[in-house]
Amino acid sequence: DGTTYADLPFKFEAGTPNVGGNIALGAAVDFIESIGHENIQNHENALLDYAQKKLLEIENLKIYGEKAKRTGVVSFTLEGAGIASDAGMILDKMGIAVRTGHHCTQPIMDYYKIAGTVRASFAVYNTFEEIDILAEGVKKAQRMLM
């Protein structure tokens, strides 16, 4: 028979609040706190160092920002192996999740004349074995594309 509006600012809230998302956020915070921020950072740094070492063993692979201080992300290209998305699709077929492309950095990619990179990201739940699988997958993709 009518509509009742809440007072501002809730008047403009669309639909039901994201209750499930709020519960999940609380669980995520509890998870992080149980492990500890420093432990997470140390693990991610160790993964990053290991990944960089394993990837640099691959001939004609170039890592961008190799010496930079960064979080658990490695961006690379396979020289002479076509575009980054080709390698990304092959890795995907092997069950290895990576990102490819410009990664929202088109201006700097244009400046350095980089057509795109493959980007692998590591987090607290990743393992050194997964990095070994990534390195082997990159080698296989490289053989297929060369």
Side-chain angles (χ1 to χ4, degrees):
D1 292 335
T3 302
T4 304
Y5 294 99
D7 293 330
L8 290 172
F10 307 106
K11 179 178 183 176
F12 300 111
E13 180 71 29
T16 305
N18 185 2
V19 175
N22 289 328
I23 292 169
L25 175 61
V29 170
D30 291 344
F31 172 76
I32 289 170
E33 292 296 326
S34 73
I35 295 172
H37 293 270
E38 188 173 331
N39 291 331
I40 291 171
Q41 182 178 9
N42 290 340
H43 180 69
E44 289 178 5
N45 287 341
L47 289 171
L48 178 63
D49 290 343
Y50 184 72
Q52 189 162 281
K53 176 182 168 279
K54 293 295 285 188
L55 291 172
L56 285 173
E57 292 173 358
I58 300 171
E59 194 171 326
N60 296 319
L61 184 141
K62 178 176 180 171
I63 292 179
Y64 292 88
E66 177 186 344
K67 306 266 190 252
K69 290 189 176 220
R70 61 180 185 274
T71 187
V73 175
V74 176
S75 294
F76 61 91
T77 56
L78 295 168
E79 296 175 16
I83 58 175
S85 60
D86 291 342
M89 284 190 284
I90 292 169
L91 291 169
D92 179 61
K93 295 293 183 190
M94 290 186 263
I96 302 168
V98 294
R99 299 274 184 167
T100 62
H102 297 112
H103 317 295
C104 300
T105 62
Q106 184 74 43
I108 199 163
M109 294 276 196
D110 287 345
Y111 179 82
Y112 287 109
K113 296 177 180 31
I114 302 168
T117 66
V118 177
R119 184 182 72 196
S121 303
F122 313 106
V124 64
Y125 46 77
N126 289 117
T127 66
F128 294 96
E129 180 185 28
E130 290 171 326
I131 293 169
D132 291 337
I133 292 167
L134 168 67
E136 289 306 311
V138 169
K139 290 175 191 175
K140 183 174 182 178
Q142 185 179 47
R143 286 191 303 272
M144 293 173 73
L145 294 169
M146 302 284 284

